[in-house]
Amino acid sequence: MPDWFSNLAQWLALPEVGLSTVFVVAFVSATLLPLGSEPAVFALVKLNPELFWPAVLVATAGNTLGGAVSWLMGLGTHRLVDRARGNPTELRALQWLERFGPKACLLSWLPVVGDPLCAVAGWLRFAFWPCLFYMAIGKFARYLVMTAALLWAFPGAFPS
């Protein structure tokens, strides 16, 4: 691993900046931008094992709030399209999703489809607070399982 990368990872993992970095990366990765936050959580926890639970909780909060922004973007887009068309829109291909309602947001942790799912939940005008609740459960489970699995798979310290 290049020295500059090790130095950057160590600086970002400092308790003073590490949790805020994890929050921002998790928030941005929950939008439609292609970014993964698990490496940031793993790096912080690997360098500061005592921050396991704070890192998982902060990442969950950031990712859930990012999902909420996606939900709001979906809702706003739906309203804009309805106003432009002059009548309500129907997405026949997504009618099956309506059967699950906000519980579908449990799947917001999935790669590729999870983040757009939050926007679709807003588009379909699912209730905000239940969606946020289910997003948080799914995202918490992902961070918990992924971080624990990575720590198990890579038990040694980062090479210097």
Side-chain angles (χ1 to χ4, degrees):
M1 186 177 323
D3 287 340
W4 69 267
F5 185 77
S6 294
N7 292 337
L8 178 64
Q10 288 174 349
W11 181 79
L12 290 175
L14 291 173
E16 305 88 59
V17 295
L19 290 174
S20 58
T21 301
V22 164
F23 181 86
V24 170
V25 169
F27 180 87
V28 171
S29 74
T31 64
L32 299 178
L33 297 174
L35 179 68
S37 54
E38 290 82 2
V41 176
F42 174 65
L44 177 66
V45 171
K46 195 69 171 163
L47 293 170
N48 299 291
E50 71 279 2
L51 292 180
F52 177 86
W53 286 110
V56 167
L57 293 173
V58 165
T60 299
N63 211 250
T64 302
L65 289 176
V69 168
S70 293
W71 185 95
L72 290 167
M73 289 170 47
L75 178 65
T77 302
H78 190 141
R79 289 182 177 164
L80 184 65
V81 169
D82 282 354
R83 213 174 286 140
R85 288 184 64 210
N87 61 358
T89 57
E90 275 300 317
L91 297 174
R92 294 192 204 316
L94 298 176
Q95 287 178 346
W96 68 270
L97 188 58
E98 289 179 321
R99 280 187 279 157
F100 296 104
K103 289 180 184 171
C105 290
L106 275 171
L107 302 175
S108 66
W109 65 271
L110 289 171
V112 181
V113 298
D115 296 331
L117 179 64
C118 298
V120 170
W123 175 274
L124 295 174
R125 293 176 272 183
F126 289 167
F128 178 75
W129 292 110
C131 284
L132 194 69
F133 175 74
Y134 288 115
M135 277 185 232
I137 290 171
K139 291 170 183 290
F140 173 76
R142 177 190 72 203
Y143 283 114
L144 181 63
V145 169
M146 288 295 296
T147 306
L150 287 170
L151 288 171
W152 178 81
F154 302 101
F158 275 151
S160 326

